[in-house]
Amino acid sequence: MSRDTIFSKIRSAISELDCKAEHPGFEDDTIVSSSRLGSDSPKAAFKRNFEAVNGRVMNSCDEVVALLHEQGQTHGYCDPELMESVGQRLVDAGLEVETSYDRERYDDYAFGITRATGAIAESGSLILDDAKTSDRLAALSPWVHVAVLRESEILRTIPEALGRLNTSRNIIWATGPSKTADVEGILIEGVHGPGEQIALFVD
Amino acid sequence: MVNRQPIDVYAHDIGEEKQASVLSGSASSTEKRLSALFNDYDDPNALRKLAGGIKDHTLHHLDRYLEQTEASLKRNGGHVHFADTADDAREAVLSILKERELTRLTKSKSMASEEIHLNDYLTEQGIEVLESDLGEFIIQLDGDTPSHIVRPIIHKNRREIARSFQRGGIATDYNDDPETITRRARVHLREKYMQAEAVITGGNFISAESGRVVLVTNEGNSRFGMAPSRVHIALVGIEKLVPTDRDLAVFLNLLGRSATGQQLTVYTEFISGPKDEGQPSGPEEMHVVLMNNGRTDVLASNCREILRCIRCSACQNVCPVYRQASGHAYRSPYGGPVGAVLSPILFGDKFPELADLPKASSLCGACNEVCPVDIPIPDLLLRLRDKAKREHIPQPGDLPMAPFATLATSPAIWRTAMTMSKAMNHLPIHVAPVRPLQDWLGQRTLPDWHGGDFRKWLKSRREN
Ligand code: SF4
């Protein structure tokens, strides 16, 4: 019912128009911010922009361990496929790592380590894709989220990243840690999602 | 009492503390927007025009894009529901929930749901709906309504919030530190997320080509609402479509910057169906309710440009009237310049009650200059004033025009009036016992009278 009504109302409304606007069209360059992108490497641009929104870029598991020790975090989750390259290093450093996420105990996980499928240099965003994220909740509920990726997976611009959206049904661009300014405009991080967002490069 | 415009009454009664919150909040957002756009682009104005052009194109071909959207959503495995009226939309949501016996929901901020008072309706039906955006959560706790599109509690300060938390049982003690407030909400809400069976979200955009529903949040509340839920319901206005994924580049870049001065909002989610197979967390079903609720009336009106709106709030932040009066003065979910245009037509049956809104503007043009989709808001306000005139809706502050007509058609009387009126500069006319005059002056200050000077000047010119 509603469907037909809506379509007939739309058609009658637009039939009154004298002329219908064409799509203006645009070049990618118009919408890419060249000052954000800079002239350095994609990784350097990603780092600059990601750090500007309080994300942390790390290049070794030791750096992750150091941060977790510093923050007193001892227990977390790691995607089973990343155990060999990342999780095991944390275990060796004395941290407890689970490879399955039990939602009954969501509060037990202080960190979560999952795959990112890429990143965007221009905006400093991580690309988290449902098909490659071992568990959505494990990437979301812990205070520290470590997104693991390779330098070669960084895309330069937002239009490029939109052009590469795949068939995955849930894709998230995470541009820094979760935040709010609802209370008197004061910036507070870690509202519902991670308070620490880390991009860990394994190359 | 002087018969003021309703919006002036609000501005008058709002109280200093609230006014200070609104003023500082909106002023800082305006500044951030400006620096984000001008640091990042050589010509941000060209982008606003481009975005407006893409939206116009989409709206002018809305039948085609809506059909394409429906097909794309279905292809992705989503269920599509059309809702012509607010009632239809509420019923569509309810029947999805009822059929599956779902009674616990979280909801991430959605203006469309505010429009149709969805929370009240579902609560009456015995369904528990919890707002998960921090600001909306506090609004719900207080039984208040949002006063800003992006920052719903812009009118509240930390002390009021700390008291609400105590009153609402979120905290046992009073603590007004913003970080503590946020942590307390985090703990409270994640327990609720984990128990929820379904989640209701809005949708910032839908790409007709791919059927991706795009949601942006800074807090991650829609992400968290979705991850443990079985069913996702997105309630989206039919004007939210864009033709292709590529077009999203224009809108995402403008939305974050215009709303909060961010290049991108923290979480940009592209949702095109239920969770992937193999993914342990996430909804098994996705429903999209495509809602009209007056949008086609706006499309048929001479103010259809307002449908380009991407709800960024830049026009609210910059508006001198909004800053003084706050969002509640606009008596609908949409406050500020966008609301002054949208509400009277969107809620057409209420036009006479809301017809004063288009008058609550000095037509300074700031709203048009900041609008990321280049909506000519001042022009639209004038068109609506004209509509109110044509429909003979009397407005407080309207001056009877008959005396002016007599003056203007008789040169002799005009001359005398011009000279005599000089005396007005010395008379306390604001206390004159003439009702329409009082109403009019209640909202304005008269400059000194210079009437007659033109004739004098012309005469002296002829003589020389
Ligand atoms: S009218 Fe323009 S400036 Fe105002 S909220 Fe809508 S898009 Fe933003």
Side-chain angles (χ1 to χ4, degrees):
Chain A
M1 258 318 282
S2 271
R3 187 187 183 284
D4 295 344
T5 317
I6 293 176
F7 275 99
S8 78
K9 285 183 181 175
I10 293 175
R11 289 189 180 117
S12 104
I14 59 181
S15 69
E16 308 273 304
L17 291 169
D18 298 335
C19 82
K20 293 188 183 178
E22 299 263 329
H23 191 296
F26 61 96
E27 301 293 327
D28 285 358
D29 288 352
T30 336
I31 194 68
V32 172
S33 165
S34 49
S35 60
R36 289 255 174 190
L37 197 54
S39 50
D40 35 8
S41 70
K43 184 169 175 188
F46 168 74
K47 185 171 190 293
R48 179 163 29 81
N49 290 316
F50 189 58
E51 286 175 351
V53 290
N54 292 345
R56 296 187 198 238
V57 173
M58 298 188 174
N59 294 297
S60 76
C61 297
D62 294 346
E63 288 176 72
V64 178
V65 169
L67 180 82
L68 294 174
H69 279 323
E70 186 193 308
Q71 298 202 343
Q73 318 285 27
T74 56
H75 189 109
Y77 166 92
C78 181
D79 174 349
E81 290 186 15
L82 292 170
M83 264 319 272
E84 203 185 311
S85 56
V86 183
Q88 193 53 46
R89 312 285 185 86
L90 273 61
V91 174
D92 295 346
L95 297 158
E96 290 170 45
V97 181
E98 290 184 47
T99 51
S100 65
Y101 181 94
D102 176 2
R103 58 165 84 177
E104 299 294 318
R105 297 185 290 108
Y106 64 88
D107 252 349
D108 288 354
Y109 306 90
F111 57 87
I113 302 167
T114 63
R115 282 270 294 144
T117 40
I120 310 170
E122 181 196 356
S123 57
S125 310
L126 287 162
I127 304 173
L128 310 176
D129 175 332
D130 224 19
K132 291 280 173 59
T133 302
S134 51
D135 193 318
R136 278 192 205 183
L137 275 167
L140 182 59
S141 80
W143 180 255
V144 182
H145 177 233
V146 182
V148 181
L149 75 163
R150 292 197 183 80
E151 184 173 346
S152 58
E153 291 168 326
I154 303 177
L155 306 172
R156 286 176 69 252
T157 67
I158 290 176
E160 202 179 325
L162 285 168
R164 302 265 201 106
L165 290 174
N166 57 21
T167 53
S168 181
R169 280 138 167 200
N170 187 288
I171 297 169
I172 292 160
W173 293 354
T175 312
S178 150
K179 69 179 182 190
T180 183
D182 271 350
V183 182
E184 294 188 4
I186 297 161
L187 177 72
I188 307 287
E189 289 173 336
V191 192
H192 304 286
E196 289 284 356
Q197 181 66 65
I198 296 170
L200 172 64
F201 286 93
V202 283
D203 283 295
Chain B
M1 207 201 103
V2 173
N3 180 14
R4 293 170 194 266
Q5 288 189 32
I7 212 153
D8 287 321
V9 178
Y10 272 88
H12 188 258
D13 295 347
I14 175 173
E16 262 172 50
E17 220 175 317
K18 267 199 175 46
Q19 201 162 51
S21 304
V22 174
L23 191 62
S24 71
S26 47
S28 88
S29 295
T30 297
E31 248 163 64
K32 286 186 201 143
R33 170 201 164 270
L34 201 69
S35 60
L37 276 166
F38 284 84
N39 289 341
D40 292 352
Y41 292 110
D42 297 335
D43 187 5
N45 277 329
L47 289 184
R48 299 191 311 116
K49 307 257 178 235
L50 171 62
I54 298 174
K55 273 283 181 181
D56 262 1
H57 164 75
T58 318
L59 292 165
H60 294 178
H61 301 85
L62 192 57
D63 53 342
R64 188 174 105 202
Y65 285 119
L66 193 59
E67 238 165 31
Q68 194 187 3
T69 300
E70 180 188 20
S72 302
L73 288 167
K74 286 185 174 163
R75 189 179 61 230
N76 296 338
H79 303 264
V80 183
H81 311 257
F82 285 92
D84 184 39
T85 63
D87 275 337
D88 295 339
R90 285 187 291 254
E91 277 160 26
V93 173
L94 183 67
S95 72
I96 298 166
L97 299 170
K98 280 258 152 94
E99 277 165 28
R100 291 160 187 78
E101 298 178 8
L102 308 172
T103 55
R104 295 183 134 187
L105 328 178
T106 65
K107 180 159 150 286
S108 80
K109 196 163 164 305
S110 143
M111 297 307 291
S113 74
E114 295 287 341
E115 241 177 69
I116 61 167
H117 307 288
L118 186 61
N119 286 1
D120 292 344
Y121 173 77
L122 292 177
T123 309
E124 277 164 27
Q125 306 288 328
I127 288 165
E128 184 190 314
V129 197
L130 189 76
E131 290 285 353
S132 59
D133 170 86
L134 179 59
E136 294 283 349
F137 172 66
I138 293 164
I139 292 283
Q140 192 179 27
L141 211 55
D142 288 353
D144 200 351
T145 51
S147 71
H148 188 272
I149 301 178
V150 171
R151 292 175 52 190
I153 52 168
I154 194 168
H155 61 290
K156 290 184 197 285
N157 60 37
R158 62 176 84 184
R159 294 178 294 284
E160 294 171 79
I161 299 167
R163 285 194 292 271
S164 309
F165 269 42
Q166 240 185 321
R167 227 184 8 248
I170 309 302
T172 47
D173 62 323
Y174 174 93
N175 188 322
D176 64 11
D177 166 43
E179 177 138 15
T180 309
I181 289 172
T182 311
R183 293 291 163 266
R184 286 176 163 175
R186 178 179 170 101
V187 171
H188 180 82
L189 280 161
R190 52 184 46 207
E191 198 184 321
K192 298 285 184 184
Y193 287 132
M194 291 298 187
Q195 295 164 349
E197 301 155 318
V199 59
I200 298 179
T201 69
N204 294 85
F205 308 99
I206 305 183
S207 156
E209 169 194 46
S210 66
R212 293 180 208 276
V213 176
V214 184
L215 271 174
V216 304
T217 75
N218 273 317
E219 299 180 5
N221 53 315
S222 66
R223 231 185 123 185
F224 216 139
M226 239 176 281
S229 288
R230 276 204 289 130
V231 175
H232 171 206
I233 304 171
L235 175 68
V236 192
I238 52 169
E239 84 286 19
K240 297 278 177 161
L241 311 185
V242 298
T244 66
D245 287 359
R246 187 165 176 271
D247 292 315
L248 290 167
V250 178
F251 295 102
L252 290 172
N253 271 300
L254 283 169
L255 179 55
R257 286 180 174 93
S258 304
T260 47
Q262 294 166 273
Q263 182 186 6
L264 285 180
T265 314
V266 174
Y267 299 114
T268 306
E269 299 172 62
F270 302 88
I271 305 150
S272 52
K275 72 184 175 73
D276 279 318
E277 277 165 40
Q279 171 56 247
S281 307
E284 285 146 26
E285 283 177 49
M286 180 188 188
H287 296 263
V288 180
V289 180
L290 295 166
M291 180 174 85
N292 180 10
N293 195 29
R295 283 154 177 78
T296 45
D297 297 336
V298 183
L299 191 62
S301 76
N302 61 356
C303 293
R304 65 180 67 83
E305 291 94 330
I306 200 69
L307 290 176
R308 297 179 197 160
C309 175
I310 57 172
R311 312 278 190 266
C312 75
S313 78
C315 61
Q316 300 187 309
N317 294 329
V318 81
C319 176
V321 178
Y322 174 86
R323 286 179 177 189
Q324 291 296 318
S326 121
H328 290 153
Y330 295 80
R331 286 116 59 209
S332 98
Y334 306 106
V338 54
V341 179
L342 192 56
S343 309
I345 3 179
L346 196 56
F347 312 116
D349 50 336
K350 294 205 194 118
F351 183 71
E353 288 154 57
L354 296 172
D356 65 298
L357 295 179
K359 296 192 71 177
S361 165
S362 63
L363 303 176
C364 72
C367 47
N368 173 224
E369 276 168 36
V370 298
C371 178
V373 281
D374 193 29
I375 301 174
I377 298 175
D379 293 350
L380 304 187
L381 291 170
L382 286 174
R383 285 176 212 166
L384 284 173
R385 290 183 187 184
D386 185 49
K387 174 173 154 81
K389 274 252 141 56
R390 274 184 285 115
E391 294 177 14
H392 303 294
I393 297 165
Q395 293 298 308
D398 279 348
L399 275 184
M401 292 310 277
F404 175 76
T406 316
L407 280 177
T409 43
S410 159
I413 306 181
W414 179 266
R415 211 160 34 235
T416 320
M418 287 299 116
T419 327
M420 296 293 288
S421 297
K422 276 231 151 84
M424 279 197 344
N425 293 342
H426 311 289
L427 288 176
I429 64 159
H430 52 281
V431 294
V434 182
R435 182 56 183 273
L437 195 61
Q438 273 191 1
D439 290 347
W440 199 79
L441 287 166
Q443 299 154 31
R444 296 162 183 87
T445 328
L446 278 185
D448 271 356
W449 184 265
H450 294 291
D453 291 357
F454 175 73
R455 283 168 176 270
K456 220 189 281 165
W457 171 81
L458 196 69
K459 201 167 158 224
S460 70
R461 224 182 98 101
R462 284 211 191 105
E463 282 165 4
N464 291 331

